[in-house]
């Protein structure tokens, strides 16, 4: 009912930048939250950044002042601009959407993940 398609991952050198995109489609009435999470093998998935419907954002301490989450309502896409990347940012990044469907049911959906590798 809600599809999330991520793109923009890849290999980047330390100090470099990447922008992840998450295109959202489906029968959506409204958005509660949109977020980016990341996961490395053997660890739990962790919140990186979240965009709350009233315009507030929330960031993990480890990415504050380096990452920026934003949304383009015209194309239903959420972005994660990642600057000053560090090797410890290496992970699979997942997009998450918590939405209200057109039939007013709540729905939570995950993307398939996109790999980010920060290495020289």
């Amino acid at each position: 009912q809600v599809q999330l398609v991520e793109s923009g991952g890849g290999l980047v050198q330390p100090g470099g930048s990447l922008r992840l995109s998450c295109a959202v489609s489906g029968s959506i009435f409204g958005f509660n939250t949109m977020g980016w999470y990341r996961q490395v093998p053997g660890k739990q998935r962790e919140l990186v950044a979240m965009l709350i419907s009233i315009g507030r954002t929330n960031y993990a301490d480890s990415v504050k002042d380096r990452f920026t989450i934003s949304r383009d309502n015209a194309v239903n896409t959420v972005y994660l601009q990642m600057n000053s990347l560090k090797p410890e940012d290496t992970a699979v990044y997942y997009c998450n959407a918590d939405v209200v469907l057109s039939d007013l049911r709540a729905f939570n959906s995950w993307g398939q993940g996109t790999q980010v590798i920060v290495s020289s």
Side-chain angles (χ1 to χ4, degrees):
Q1 289 170 319
V2 178
Q3 295 80 41
L4 279 62
V5 179
E6 298 135 339
S7 60
L11 173 64
V12 63
Q13 291 186 342
S17 298
L18 281 176
R19 189 177 79 157
L20 306 183
S21 299
C22 175
V24 185
S25 61
S27 300
I28 298 170
F29 175 77
F31 291 84
N32 293 323
T33 61
M34 293 289 299
W36 286 95
Y37 292 73
R38 66 188 181 187
Q39 188 170 24
V40 297
K43 292 190 176 181
Q44 287 188 331
R45 193 171 295 185
E46 63 174 3
L47 174 69
V48 176
M50 180 173 288
L51 184 63
I52 302 170
S53 61
I54 59 174
R56 288 185 290 120
T57 57
N58 186 32
Y59 294 95
D61 288 342
S62 59
V63 306
K64 281 180 181 176
D65 300 323
R66 299 189 298 122
F67 291 10
T68 303
I69 187 171
S70 63
R71 176 180 158 191
D72 186 338
N73 292 331
V75 293
N76 271 356
T77 299
V78 177
Y79 303 99
L80 184 68
Q81 178 66 43
M82 305 186 294
N83 299 328
S84 302
L85 282 161
K86 304 175 180 180
E88 52 262 44
D89 295 317
T90 295
V92 178
Y93 284 72
Y94 296 91
C95 180
N96 176 267
D98 193 270
V99 304
V100 179
L101 300 176
S102 56
D103 61 5
L104 302 184
R105 288 183 296 126
F107 193 84
N108 191 282
S109 183
W110 291 91
Q112 80 284 0
T114 185
Q115 177 74 58
V116 172
I117 299 173
V118 184
S119 175
S120 54

mmCIF file of all heavy atoms in Angstrom, residues 8-20 38 62-63 65-68 80-90 93 116-120:
data_model
loop_
_atom_site.group_PDB
_atom_site.id
_atom_site.type_symbol
_atom_site.label_atom_id
_atom_site.label_comp_id
_atom_site.label_asym_id
_atom_site.label_seq_id
_atom_site.Cartn_x
_atom_site.Cartn_y
_atom_site.Cartn_z
ATOM 1 N N GLY A 8 20.918 6.478 -3.895
ATOM 2 C CA GLY A 8 21.950 7.451 -3.548
ATOM 3 C C GLY A 8 23.099 6.920 -2.729
ATOM 4 O O GLY A 8 24.057 7.646 -2.461
ATOM 5 N N GLY A 9 23.041 5.675 -2.301
ATOM 6 C CA GLY A 9 24.150 5.121 -1.544
ATOM 7 C C GLY A 9 25.357 4.870 -2.432
ATOM 8 O O GLY A 9 25.303 5.011 -3.653
ATOM 9 N N GLY A 10 26.460 4.502 -1.798
ATOM 10 C CA GLY A 10 27.658 4.205 -2.547
ATOM 11 C C GLY A 10 28.900 4.304 -1.703
ATOM 12 O O GLY A 10 28.831 4.348 -0.470
ATOM 13 N N LEU A 11 30.028 4.357 -2.380
ATOM 14 C CA LEU A 11 31.337 4.449 -1.740
ATOM 15 C C LEU A 11 31.816 5.890 -1.787
ATOM 16 O O LEU A 11 31.792 6.525 -2.858
ATOM 17 C CB LEU A 11 32.323 3.533 -2.455
ATOM 18 C CG LEU A 11 33.792 3.623 -2.021
ATOM 19 C CD1 LEU A 11 33.945 3.172 -0.572
ATOM 20 C CD2 LEU A 11 34.653 2.784 -2.946
ATOM 21 N N VAL A 12 32.250 6.394 -0.654
ATOM 22 C CA VAL A 12 32.739 7.773 -0.583
ATOM 23 C C VAL A 12 33.928 7.816 0.366
ATOM 24 O O VAL A 12 34.006 7.029 1.315
ATOM 25 C CB VAL A 12 31.611 8.724 -0.127
ATOM 26 C CG1 VAL A 12 31.153 8.388 1.276
ATOM 27 C CG2 VAL A 12 32.027 10.176 -0.241
ATOM 28 N N GLN A 13 34.833 8.732 0.114
ATOM 29 C CA GLN A 13 35.987 8.882 0.978
ATOM 30 C C GLN A 13 35.615 9.646 2.247
ATOM 31 O O GLN A 13 34.668 10.445 2.242
ATOM 32 C CB GLN A 13 37.104 9.616 0.243
ATOM 33 C CG GLN A 13 37.725 8.825 -0.885
ATOM 34 C CD GLN A 13 38.928 9.540 -1.483
ATOM 35 O OE1 GLN A 13 39.115 10.742 -1.309
ATOM 36 N NE2 GLN A 13 39.758 8.783 -2.188
ATOM 37 N N PRO A 14 36.344 9.422 3.324
ATOM 38 C CA PRO A 14 36.103 10.213 4.536
ATOM 39 C C PRO A 14 36.162 11.704 4.237
ATOM 40 O O PRO A 14 37.039 12.168 3.494
ATOM 41 C CB PRO A 14 37.239 9.782 5.461
ATOM 42 C CG PRO A 14 37.570 8.397 5.015
ATOM 43 C CD PRO A 14 37.394 8.404 3.523
ATOM 44 N N GLY A 15 35.209 12.422 4.828
ATOM 45 C CA GLY A 15 35.110 13.853 4.572
ATOM 46 C C GLY A 15 34.217 14.200 3.401
ATOM 47 O O GLY A 15 33.883 15.376 3.201
ATOM 48 N N GLY A 16 33.824 13.207 2.652
ATOM 49 C CA GLY A 16 32.982 13.434 1.487
ATOM 50 C C GLY A 16 31.514 13.553 1.828
ATOM 51 O O GLY A 16 31.123 13.532 3.004
ATOM 52 N N SER A 17 30.695 13.670 0.772
ATOM 53 C CA SER A 17 29.254 13.856 0.940
ATOM 54 C C SER A 17 28.482 12.888 0.059
ATOM 55 O O SER A 17 28.964 12.467 -0.998
ATOM 56 C CB SER A 17 28.861 15.293 0.564
ATOM 57 O OG SER A 17 29.480 16.243 1.392
ATOM 58 N N LEU A 18 27.294 12.571 0.509
ATOM 59 C CA LEU A 18 26.328 11.795 -0.262
ATOM 60 C C LEU A 18 24.942 12.321 0.051
ATOM 61 O O LEU A 18 24.703 12.835 1.156
ATOM 62 C CB LEU A 18 26.380 10.301 0.096
ATOM 63 C CG LEU A 18 27.469 9.415 -0.482
ATOM 64 C CD1 LEU A 18 27.341 8.011 0.103
ATOM 65 C CD2 LEU A 18 27.395 9.373 -2.000
ATOM 66 N N ARG A 19 24.045 12.172 -0.923
ATOM 67 C CA ARG A 19 22.651 12.481 -0.652
ATOM 68 C C ARG A 19 21.805 11.255 -0.964
ATOM 69 O O ARG A 19 21.801 10.755 -2.084
ATOM 70 C CB ARG A 19 22.160 13.664 -1.482
ATOM 71 C CG ARG A 19 20.772 14.131 -1.049
ATOM 72 C CD ARG A 19 20.276 15.342 -1.799
ATOM 73 N NE ARG A 19 19.769 15.009 -3.124
ATOM 74 C CZ ARG A 19 18.907 15.757 -3.804
ATOM 75 N NH1 ARG A 19 18.457 16.895 -3.271
ATOM 76 N NH2 ARG A 19 18.511 15.398 -5.003
ATOM 77 N N LEU A 20 21.093 10.802 0.051
ATOM 78 C CA LEU A 20 20.170 9.687 -0.115
ATOM 79 C C LEU A 20 18.779 10.227 -0.422
ATOM 80 O O LEU A 20 18.379 11.271 0.099
ATOM 81 C CB LEU A 20 20.118 8.835 1.147
ATOM 82 C CG LEU A 20 21.459 8.299 1.679
ATOM 83 C CD1 LEU A 20 21.205 7.419 2.906
ATOM 84 C CD2 LEU A 20 22.207 7.540 0.615
ATOM 85 N N ARG A 38 19.809 3.460 10.215
ATOM 86 C CA ARG A 38 20.930 2.725 9.653
ATOM 87 C C ARG A 38 21.246 1.514 10.520
ATOM 88 O O ARG A 38 20.917 1.480 11.703
ATOM 89 C CB ARG A 38 22.167 3.619 9.508
ATOM 90 C CG ARG A 38 22.777 4.107 10.814
ATOM 91 C CD ARG A 38 23.873 5.132 10.531
ATOM 92 N NE ARG A 38 24.500 5.609 11.753
ATOM 93 C CZ ARG A 38 25.386 6.610 11.786
ATOM 94 N NH1 ARG A 38 25.741 7.232 10.655
ATOM 95 N NH2 ARG A 38 25.920 6.984 12.935
ATOM 96 N N SER A 62 25.316 11.591 16.943
ATOM 97 C CA SER A 62 26.503 11.304 16.146
ATOM 98 C C SER A 62 26.483 11.964 14.770
ATOM 99 O O SER A 62 27.522 12.047 14.105
ATOM 100 C CB SER A 62 26.665 9.795 15.979
ATOM 101 O OG SER A 62 25.524 9.248 15.342
ATOM 102 N N VAL A 63 25.310 12.436 14.332
ATOM 103 C CA VAL A 63 25.225 13.023 12.993
ATOM 104 C C VAL A 63 24.804 14.488 13.015
ATOM 105 O O VAL A 63 24.737 15.127 11.954
ATOM 106 C CB VAL A 63 24.255 12.231 12.093
ATOM 107 C CG1 VAL A 63 24.630 10.760 12.073
ATOM 108 C CG2 VAL A 63 22.806 12.423 12.504
ATOM 109 N N ASP A 65 24.724 18.323 12.941
ATOM 110 C CA ASP A 65 25.582 19.306 12.269
ATOM 111 C C ASP A 65 26.299 18.741 11.050
ATOM 112 O O ASP A 65 27.063 19.458 10.393
ATOM 113 C CB ASP A 65 26.623 19.902 13.236
ATOM 114 C CG ASP A 65 25.989 20.602 14.417
ATOM 115 O OD1 ASP A 65 24.941 21.245 14.226
ATOM 116 O OD2 ASP A 65 26.531 20.477 15.532
ATOM 117 N N ARG A 66 26.085 17.468 10.739
ATOM 118 C CA ARG A 66 26.662 16.887 9.532
ATOM 119 C C ARG A 66 25.590 16.420 8.545
ATOM 120 O O ARG A 66 25.774 16.502 7.330
ATOM 121 C CB ARG A 66 27.574 15.700 9.883
ATOM 122 C CG ARG A 66 28.755 16.057 10.758
ATOM 123 C CD ARG A 66 29.727 14.893 10.871
ATOM 124 N NE ARG A 66 29.135 13.712 11.499
ATOM 125 C CZ ARG A 66 29.063 12.513 10.923
ATOM 126 N NH1 ARG A 66 29.561 12.329 9.706
ATOM 127 N NH2 ARG A 66 28.530 11.493 11.571
ATOM 128 N N PHE A 67 24.486 15.902 9.063
ATOM 129 C CA PHE A 67 23.421 15.366 8.233
ATOM 130 C C PHE A 67 22.209 16.287 8.297
ATOM 131 O O PHE A 67 21.928 16.902 9.334
ATOM 132 C CB PHE A 67 22.999 13.981 8.717
ATOM 133 C CG PHE A 67 24.005 12.886 8.508
ATOM 134 C CD1 PHE A 67 25.305 13.148 8.113
ATOM 135 C CD2 PHE A 67 23.636 11.566 8.715
ATOM 136 C CE1 PHE A 67 26.224 12.133 7.929
ATOM 137 C CE2 PHE A 67 24.540 10.522 8.532
ATOM 138 C CZ PHE A 67 25.837 10.819 8.145
ATOM 139 N N THR A 68 21.478 16.327 7.186
ATOM 140 C CA THR A 68 20.246 17.117 7.136
ATOM 141 C C THR A 68 19.151 16.322 6.441
ATOM 142 O O THR A 68 19.352 15.827 5.327
ATOM 143 C CB THR A 68 20.469 18.435 6.373
ATOM 144 O OG1 THR A 68 21.520 19.180 6.992
ATOM 145 C CG2 THR A 68 19.195 19.275 6.385
ATOM 146 N N LEU A 80 18.267 12.681 2.611
ATOM 147 C CA LEU A 80 19.217 12.767 3.709
ATOM 148 C C LEU A 80 20.544 13.237 3.117
ATOM 149 O O LEU A 80 21.212 12.478 2.412
ATOM 150 C CB LEU A 80 19.396 11.422 4.414
ATOM 151 C CG LEU A 80 20.317 11.461 5.638
ATOM 152 C CD1 LEU A 80 19.656 12.274 6.764
ATOM 153 C CD2 LEU A 80 20.641 10.059 6.124
ATOM 154 N N GLN A 81 20.862 14.485 3.372
ATOM 155 C CA GLN A 81 22.140 15.041 2.934
ATOM 156 C C GLN A 81 23.180 14.726 3.995
ATOM 157 O O GLN A 81 23.012 15.125 5.154
ATOM 158 C CB GLN A 81 22.032 16.549 2.726
ATOM 159 C CG GLN A 81 23.331 17.216 2.312
ATOM 160 C CD GLN A 81 23.810 16.785 0.941
ATOM 161 O OE1 GLN A 81 23.020 16.692 0.010
ATOM 162 N NE2 GLN A 81 25.111 16.516 0.823
ATOM 163 N N MET A 82 24.214 14.024 3.593
ATOM 164 C CA MET A 82 25.238 13.590 4.535
ATOM 165 C C MET A 82 26.559 14.242 4.151
ATOM 166 O O MET A 82 27.090 13.980 3.068
ATOM 167 C CB MET A 82 25.367 12.066 4.514
ATOM 168 C CG MET A 82 24.058 11.346 4.783
ATOM 169 S SD MET A 82 24.249 9.550 4.914
ATOM 170 C CE MET A 82 24.742 9.151 3.247
ATOM 171 N N ASN A 83 27.069 15.074 5.037
ATOM 172 C CA ASN A 83 28.334 15.761 4.813
ATOM 173 C C ASN A 83 29.366 15.314 5.841
ATOM 174 O O ASN A 83 29.022 14.736 6.870
ATOM 175 C CB ASN A 83 28.134 17.278 4.910
ATOM 176 C CG ASN A 83 27.173 17.813 3.873
ATOM 177 O OD1 ASN A 83 27.080 17.295 2.753
ATOM 178 N ND2 ASN A 83 26.438 18.860 4.217
ATOM 179 N N SER A 84 30.609 15.600 5.545
ATOM 180 C CA SER A 84 31.711 15.263 6.468
ATOM 181 C C SER A 84 31.613 13.817 6.925
ATOM 182 O O SER A 84 31.697 13.516 8.125
ATOM 183 C CB SER A 84 31.689 16.217 7.670
ATOM 184 O OG SER A 84 31.804 17.559 7.261
ATOM 185 N N LEU A 85 31.437 12.935 5.980
ATOM 186 C CA LEU A 85 31.223 11.521 6.319
ATOM 187 C C LEU A 85 32.450 10.907 6.967
ATOM 188 O O LEU A 85 33.601 11.252 6.634
ATOM 189 C CB LEU A 85 30.830 10.747 5.066
ATOM 190 C CG LEU A 85 29.369 10.942 4.659
ATOM 191 C CD1 LEU A 85 29.144 10.564 3.206
ATOM 192 C CD2 LEU A 85 28.455 10.127 5.574
ATOM 193 N N LYS A 86 32.179 10.000 7.881
ATOM 194 C CA LYS A 86 33.225 9.316 8.634
ATOM 195 C C LYS A 86 33.107 7.812 8.394
ATOM 196 O O LYS A 86 32.016 7.312 8.071
ATOM 197 C CB LYS A 86 33.058 9.593 10.132
ATOM 198 C CG LYS A 86 33.052 11.061 10.504
ATOM 199 C CD LYS A 86 32.758 11.234 11.987
ATOM 200 C CE LYS A 86 32.736 12.710 12.378
ATOM 201 N NZ LYS A 86 32.446 12.884 13.827
ATOM 202 N N PRO A 87 34.192 7.071 8.580
ATOM 203 C CA PRO A 87 34.096 5.606 8.411
ATOM 204 C C PRO A 87 33.006 4.980 9.271
ATOM 205 O O PRO A 87 32.363 4.008 8.851
ATOM 206 C CB PRO A 87 35.494 5.128 8.822
ATOM 207 C CG PRO A 87 36.387 6.271 8.486
ATOM 208 C CD PRO A 87 35.581 7.510 8.801
ATOM 209 N N GLU A 88 32.765 5.537 10.436
ATOM 210 C CA GLU A 88 31.736 4.981 11.316
ATOM 211 C C GLU A 88 30.315 5.236 10.815
ATOM 212 O O GLU A 88 29.355 4.724 11.396
ATOM 213 C CB GLU A 88 31.895 5.501 12.748
ATOM 214 C CG GLU A 88 31.993 6.994 12.861
ATOM 215 C CD GLU A 88 33.436 7.461 12.962
ATOM 216 O OE1 GLU A 88 34.291 6.946 12.202
ATOM 217 O OE2 GLU A 88 33.701 8.370 13.780
ATOM 218 N N ASP A 89 30.177 6.012 9.759
ATOM 219 C CA ASP A 89 28.864 6.192 9.137
ATOM 220 C C ASP A 89 28.534 5.049 8.173
ATOM 221 O O ASP A 89 27.415 4.982 7.642
ATOM 222 C CB ASP A 89 28.799 7.513 8.372
ATOM 223 C CG ASP A 89 28.911 8.723 9.282
ATOM 224 O OD1 ASP A 89 28.276 8.712 10.357
ATOM 225 O OD2 ASP A 89 29.626 9.678 8.914
ATOM 226 N N THR A 90 29.496 4.173 7.939
ATOM 227 C CA THR A 90 29.272 3.034 7.057
ATOM 228 C C THR A 90 28.157 2.156 7.612
ATOM 229 O O THR A 90 28.201 1.731 8.767
ATOM 230 C CB THR A 90 30.563 2.216 6.913
ATOM 231 O OG1 THR A 90 31.548 3.019 6.255
ATOM 232 C CG2 THR A 90 30.318 0.951 6.105
ATOM 233 N N TYR A 93 21.472 2.060 5.044
ATOM 234 C CA TYR A 93 20.544 3.107 5.445
ATOM 235 C C TYR A 93 19.143 2.766 4.935
ATOM 236 O O TYR A 93 18.960 2.427 3.759
ATOM 237 C CB TYR A 93 21.005 4.455 4.889
ATOM 238 C CG TYR A 93 22.167 5.020 5.656
ATOM 239 C CD1 TYR A 93 23.440 4.459 5.556
ATOM 240 C CD2 TYR A 93 22.009 6.115 6.500
ATOM 241 C CE1 TYR A 93 24.508 4.966 6.279
ATOM 242 C CE2 TYR A 93 23.069 6.635 7.222
ATOM 243 C CZ TYR A 93 24.311 6.054 7.103
ATOM 244 O OH TYR A 93 25.367 6.559 7.825
ATOM 245 N N VAL A 116 25.871 2.438 2.322
ATOM 246 C CA VAL A 116 26.816 3.560 2.333
ATOM 247 C C VAL A 116 28.125 3.052 2.912
ATOM 248 O O VAL A 116 28.143 2.482 4.008
ATOM 249 C CB VAL A 116 26.284 4.739 3.168
ATOM 250 C CG1 VAL A 116 27.367 5.804 3.330
ATOM 251 C CG2 VAL A 116 25.039 5.332 2.522
ATOM 252 N N ILE A 117 29.195 3.234 2.170
ATOM 253 C CA ILE A 117 30.524 2.825 2.625
ATOM 254 C C ILE A 117 31.433 4.050 2.607
ATOM 255 O O ILE A 117 31.577 4.695 1.561
ATOM 256 C CB ILE A 117 31.113 1.723 1.731
ATOM 257 C CG1 ILE A 117 30.212 0.488 1.762
ATOM 258 C CG2 ILE A 117 32.532 1.364 2.189
ATOM 259 C CD1 ILE A 117 30.633 -0.596 0.783
ATOM 260 N N VAL A 118 31.991 4.337 3.757
ATOM 261 C CA VAL A 118 32.914 5.473 3.864
ATOM 262 C C VAL A 118 34.305 4.908 4.117
ATOM 263 O O VAL A 118 34.592 4.369 5.183
ATOM 264 C CB VAL A 118 32.506 6.433 5.004
ATOM 265 C CG1 VAL A 118 33.435 7.654 5.008
ATOM 266 C CG2 VAL A 118 31.059 6.856 4.851
ATOM 267 N N SER A 119 35.151 5.018 3.122
ATOM 268 C CA SER A 119 36.463 4.400 3.209
ATOM 269 C C SER A 119 37.412 5.061 2.230
ATOM 270 O O SER A 119 37.015 5.502 1.148
ATOM 271 C CB SER A 119 36.356 2.908 2.899
ATOM 272 O OG SER A 119 37.650 2.305 2.868
ATOM 273 N N SER A 120 38.678 5.098 2.607
ATOM 274 C CA SER A 120 39.694 5.637 1.708
ATOM 275 C C SER A 120 40.327 4.510 0.907
ATOM 276 O O SER A 120 41.213 4.741 0.082
ATOM 277 C CB SER A 120 40.754 6.390 2.501
ATOM 278 O OG SER A 120 41.300 5.572 3.519
#
